[in-house]
Amino acid sequence: MDAPISTTVLHDCRDAFAATLEKMASIDQTIVAVCNDSVGSSKLGGFKSKFPDRLINVGIAEQNMVGVSAGLANGGRIPFVCAASCFLTGRALEQIKADISYSNANVKLIGISSGMAYGELGPTHHSIEDFAWTRVLPNLPVIAPCDRIETAAAIEWAASYAGPCFLRLSRVGVPDLLPEGHKFVPGRANRLRDGEDVTLIANGTLTHRMMKAADILAKQGVNARVLNMATVRPIDEDAIIAAAKETGAIVTAEEHSIYGGLGSAVAEVVVDNAPVPMKRLGVPGIYAPTGSAEFLLDEFGMAPSAIAEATLALLKRK
């Protein structure tokens, strides 16, 4: 079903995260928030005011933060661990592996300002490896919502899910794509637009760019299917196989390295089940330069017009 895109009203998914977390915490007294001096950037100010005894700020000590959260989970709490995704996944990967994934601890990892949202702060603050690092770990669903509505639904799901998960949230404003009341189902893609010529797959901040690219392609007589693949693991294999068989070509785009992320996950399903021509758009295996997120996405060929151009080039191989 085609979804309209507002080009004027953009929302910060962190606001939806914070509001939903506060709502869930008012219902469930075992929910706590844990952060690394990131109350402001994680939008936890309201949570701190409402539940001052349920916010634990460990300081800039991400490894300790994850270990503390595992202990809280063992004690019957449901910790939502909030930090910039580059530091949460990079600095604390061993603890995420041993204390959370291996132990199957009921901890919700919230990677804030993911991708190149901290673009002006340079490569040390870019988080373009987090899909690759987290999606290889057993027991750990990896999720990147496309808008505020899916963010809220994913947080509600995470609060009720008896196990660990990693949610990747940007600070870059995005339009609404999904209807109010949307229910998040892990491992299930949303078909935002029908099409039979090619399939465009994205998640997070790239989903609305894919929709705009589909509009450009439509004007050139190309009917593109658009899938919002919010769950990188477990990935919706059925939707990918159907896309390969029914449209014969697939383009992926992500605010991540082209190695190990969404495009790689889609390619693994395609090569095992229904090989078709593919194009993976993302950061091409280099450290991204300093610049705004919008600039960097355009620089790496993920402006809607560039996505459409890459799709047309791919179709010549179909």
Side-chain angles (χ1 to χ4, degrees), residues 4 47 50 55 60 63-64 87 94 97 105 135 155 172 174 216 229-230 241 244-245 253 286-287 296 309:
F47 190 99
K50 293 178 181 177
L55 174 67
I60 302 175
Q63 294 170 330
N64 187 45
F87 304 131
E94 181 183 359
K97 175 184 176 181
R135 80 177 184 93
I155 294 301
V172 176
V174 291
I216 296 171
M229 194 69 66
I241 294 169
K245 291 182 176 179
I286 63 173
Y287 290 111
L296 291 172
E309 183 178 347

Side-chain angles (χ1 to χ4, degrees), residues 4-12 173-177 208 212:
I5 298 179
S6 169
T7 58
T8 57
V9 181
L10 303 178
H11 302 279
D12 185 335
V174 291
D176 289 346
L177 295 176
H208 79 279
K212 291 179 179 179

